[in-house]
Amino acid sequence: MNKGNALPVFARGFDRVRLALQTSLAGGANVDGTLDASTEPMRWTSDCLRDGYELRYRRNLDDLGYGDEPMRGTRTSALNAVCSLRGLFTDEAIAALREIGRALEGSASSSNWIISKRVRAVTNRSRFIDDMMHDRAFLLRLSRLAGAPLIPYPMVNARSQFNYYYPTAQRDGKEQLGMWHTDGTSFVLNIVLSDRSDYAGGNFLFYESTAETFDRHDPARTHVKTASLDKAGDALLIYGSKLFHGVEPVTAGRRMSLVLSFHCPYTREDDNGFWHLASDDGIPRTLVNWLALRRSLRDDAEMQYYRLGLAPIRAEDLKDTRLSMATS
Ligand SMILES: O=C(O)CCC(=O)C(=O)O
Ligand SMILES: [Fe+2]
């Protein structure tokens, strides 16, 4: 059996620059094409959100040992590092997400990137997921859990993706896994769309300490935790740019997940690095996207909400009595 400390670590430093050059030559990643509207099983509405969802586990950034504020003015004790959620969505909404994931799977491609098989920019291709990410009720729920007001991540390529994992033998001898990594984005919702009985392996691991202290060779696997993502629809909200995480190889069956990224418009800070994006999209495309991202990050927060057609979410909207009850 694979051990978490055997998971490789995604390229860092100069290796990431080299990967960016390779990606540029290869022509960039798969972000094009739309889903035939007739394959959309239903429309997203706020009714797709279940009221009685369960908060099953939670650690904030200060619990992990982060003392410095990653976002000026927001204490690390208020920012979620990782929380495990069950029952966020209705069964119908989960069935719809599974169906959309299956419909888009044909256009997934394999690469040497963090997640070997995936489809990106799915909000361009699925109205259901686009509406979901722009639903204020959904954003408000996630903002409360994250500890910061959120909008969909401004750069569409980095906003949403489906991931697909299979056993090695089924895919040109390549292991389908999620290498140890931190995300380019900070507020990331990982929704698993397979039941535990659908696959073996494929555990979502995370490192419950600071990224600087992470050592994948540590035989004791100190601070390495396994998320309990057992039912389709179970989700993990993480501070992706600070929490090391990965997905172990799937040894049987199939695992599918949807990963959505958000941004706090009240900060101009953003952890997404040029070389992180360029190793994914290639250098020419990233130059264009990067300049647009920097420009949009400069805008006033309320303006960013209005531009999305949403009433602003403000700090005072974040008080969630359920959250303080569940963590006390
Ligand atoms: O597929 C998953 O469950 C997590 C994938 C992940 O970490 C990512 O896409 O960045
Ligand atoms: Fe990730």
Side-chain angles (χ1 to χ4, degrees):
M1 278 300 286
N2 180 278
K3 283 276 187 331
N5 50 5
L7 263 190
V9 177
F10 181 57
R12 305 176 92 172
F14 185 71
D15 284 343
R16 201 168 277 184
V17 176
R18 183 161 40 220
L19 196 52
L21 293 168
Q22 281 167 1
T23 309
S24 309
L25 295 172
N30 51 315
V31 291
D32 306 317
T34 46
L35 194 62
D36 180 350
S38 63
T39 51
E40 289 270 275
M42 61 189 274
R43 290 288 302 273
W44 170 272
T45 69
S46 301
D47 292 338
C48 292
L49 293 169
R50 278 187 68 243
D51 286 333
Y53 69 94
E54 240 181 281
L55 177 61
R56 308 170 74 209
Y57 185 81
R58 183 180 169 95
R59 291 287 178 271
N60 287 335
L61 282 179
D62 67 331
D63 299 323
L64 266 66
Y66 284 106
D68 293 343
E69 298 174 3
M71 284 172 24
R72 224 165 296 143
T74 311
R75 285 167 296 113
T76 51
S77 58
L79 285 171
N80 168 69
V82 52
C83 68
S84 173
L85 302 151
R86 172 162 287 174
L88 278 179
F89 311 107
T90 61
D91 291 347
E92 295 73 30
I94 296 163
L97 291 173
R98 284 164 64 109
E99 207 169 307
I100 295 163
R102 273 195 294 270
L104 290 176
E105 188 169 358
S107 55
S109 66
S110 297
S111 72
N112 293 325
W113 221 66
I114 300 172
I115 312 292
S116 16
K117 194 181 178 203
R118 69 214 164 102
V119 183
R120 304 173 65 214
V122 298
T123 53
N124 280 352
R125 306 175 66 180
S126 161
R127 178 163 187 185
F128 186 86
I129 297 173
D130 196 41
D131 288 349
M132 170 182 176
M133 285 193 87
H134 288 85
D135 177 8
R136 191 175 186 279
F138 181 51
L139 289 169
L140 183 59
R141 177 176 289 191
L142 291 183
S143 300
R144 286 177 169 162
L145 290 163
L150 300 177
I151 57 170
Y153 192 71
M155 186 192 282
V156 74
N157 283 2
R159 187 181 298 161
S160 58
Q161 71 182 44
F162 276 105
N163 296 330
Y164 308 91
Y165 306 81
Y166 299 91
T168 313
Q170 279 181 35
R171 302 261 341 154
D172 26 302
K174 260 193 183 172
E175 268 191 330
Q176 305 293 305
L177 46 75
M179 296 180 210
W180 278 114
H181 67 284
T182 51
D183 297 323
T185 51
S186 294
F187 301 100
V188 184
L189 184 70
N190 297 265
I191 308 165
V192 162
L193 293 170
S194 307
D195 285 311
R196 204 75 197 65
S197 54
D198 295 339
Y199 62 94
N203 283 317
F204 187 111
L205 306 180
F206 60 93
Y207 178 67
E208 211 172 71
S209 186
T210 59
E212 296 73 44
T213 63
F214 177 69
D215 171 13
R216 80 171 174 117
H217 296 295
D218 171 15
R221 300 178 83 194
T222 322
H223 304 307
V224 173
K225 299 273 165 75
T226 302
S228 53
L229 297 167
D230 296 330
K231 264 176 76 169
D234 282 357
L236 212 63
L237 179 67
I238 62 174
Y239 201 99
S241 58
K242 299 263 182 237
L243 185 90
F244 251 100
H245 58 282
V247 179
E248 291 182 303
V250 164
T251 53
R254 172 180 175 280
R255 180 187 187 274
M256 179 167 75
S257 59
L258 174 64
V259 179
L260 306 177
S261 288
F262 301 85
H263 170 70
C264 172
Y266 292 90
T267 175
R268 289 177 186 181
E269 289 147 62
D270 181 64
D271 287 325
N272 222 337
F274 180 84
W275 293 110
H276 185 98
L277 291 162
S279 65
D280 208 8
D281 276 332
I283 295 165
R285 205 182 325 200
T286 301
L287 271 176
V288 176
N289 291 346
W290 176 258
L291 292 174
L293 176 66
R294 300 323 299 175
R295 230 183 353 261
S296 68
L297 293 176
R298 279 204 306 271
D299 285 343
D300 173 72
E302 305 227 337
M303 181 56 78
Q304 295 192 53
Y305 277 109
Y306 287 127
R307 202 171 286 141
L308 294 168
L310 296 168
I313 297 176
R314 304 189 172 101
E316 62 261 30
D317 296 321
L318 300 189
K319 291 181 195 78
D320 183 349
T321 45
R322 283 204 48 226
L323 194 59
S324 48
M325 262 159 39
T327 51
S328 60

